[in-house]
Amino acid sequence: MAEEAPVFNLSPDGPIGIFDSGVGGLSVWREIARQLPHESTLYVADQGHVPYGIRSLSEVREYTKGITRFLLARGAKIIVIACNTASGAALRTLRESFPGFAFVGMEPAVKPAAENTQTGVIAVIATKATFQGELFHSLVERFAAGVRLETQFCPELVELVERGDLDTPETETALRQCLTPLLKAGTDHLVLGCTHYPFLVEAITRITGPNVTLVDPAPAVARQTARVLDYLNLRAPVTARVKHTFFTSGAPEAFETLAHRLVNFDGDIQSVAWHGNELQTTD
Ligand code: DGL
């Protein structure tokens, strides 16, 4: 059902809203900032609720609606859901709740993996919730008909990335557990179906070796964002003053350290808190 009288402030000068449960969406933010250097962004990390992957669909939907209202109130002209779990759970609900507003969602990149496999075996790693969503089932039906598709959910990985444990023995053990059956099955394309995982690429590659191609959808999501902005005539002018602001519902100091380490971000970081279903800045 549509939210009551949503007011959109759609100006080419407005920022791109981006959100995730935590730092994972920064792998998408990084691509958007690289491909669309004249665009400003507002990034929300809902670290007060991370991980989304173990929560119910209705909880995730409520969070994403609250984040959307927060971003709309700050002039977002488009919203990129930089989270596979939230896209699977809530993309349709958000489009219904905010009709006429543009959302770019994400899905595990099964299509390019299926098109390029040589062994005929591809694998997706993602959160449990992503595999349970209808979006994933439709992806498999549409694109994986001629290949063998292996799946694994790796419950610890999101929290390890949130802690900044990108290459510790604990991370290596969790990755080996998750990846070994996929490698034994003959996988040659591994789809990173959670936006936290691109930050583990070095550790993953050490385990998979050079013959497995890792597929990260972030570049395609940034290209899609550009296409939608063009279609809506909402691209920022090249003269735009670019500003990036990050918000977290978790601990801002920890987020700042990690954002610097993961994507070299040194800009404005603000603390936000949930009041019921509404996200508000804390001053
Ligand atoms: N980054 C996320 C994804 O792409 C969500 C991880 C989580 O919070 O469980 O699925």
Side-chain angles (χ1 to χ4, degrees), residues 20-25 49-54 82-86 106 126-127 130 158 162 193-197:
D20 179 41
S21 58
V23 295
H49 291 135
V50 70
Y52 276 3
I54 56 163
C83 175
N84 294 268
T85 307
M106 298 194 64
T127 66
T130 294
V158 168
E162 287 291 321
C194 168
T195 53
H196 282 73
Y197 301 165

Side-chain angles (χ1 to χ4, degrees), residues 112-123 146-148 185-190 211-213:
E115 281 170 356
N116 294 310
T117 179
Q118 298 294 313
T119 60
V121 186
I122 65 171
V147 299
R148 177 168 159 199
T187 297
D188 70 349
H189 281 71
L190 177 66
N211 297 332
V212 175
T213 305

Side-chain angles (χ1 to χ4, degrees), residues 138 152 171 267:
S138 110
Q152 277 282 345
T171 308

Side-chain angles (χ1 to χ4, degrees), residues 129-147:
T130 294
F131 290 129
Q132 286 166 345
E134 22 174 297
L135 201 63
F136 188 72
H137 290 287
S138 110
L139 261 183
V140 174
E141 267 171 34
R142 279 179 293 148
F143 302 123
V147 299

Side-chain angles (χ1 to χ4, degrees), residues 23-24 156-166 171 195-200 258 261-262:
V23 295
E156 304 93 351
L157 296 185
V158 168
E159 283 166 81
L160 287 164
V161 173
E162 287 291 321
R163 290 211 303 261
D165 286 349
L166 306 184
T171 308
T195 53
H196 282 73
Y197 301 165
F199 295 119
L200 299 171
L258 206 47
R261 188 168 153 212
L262 297 176

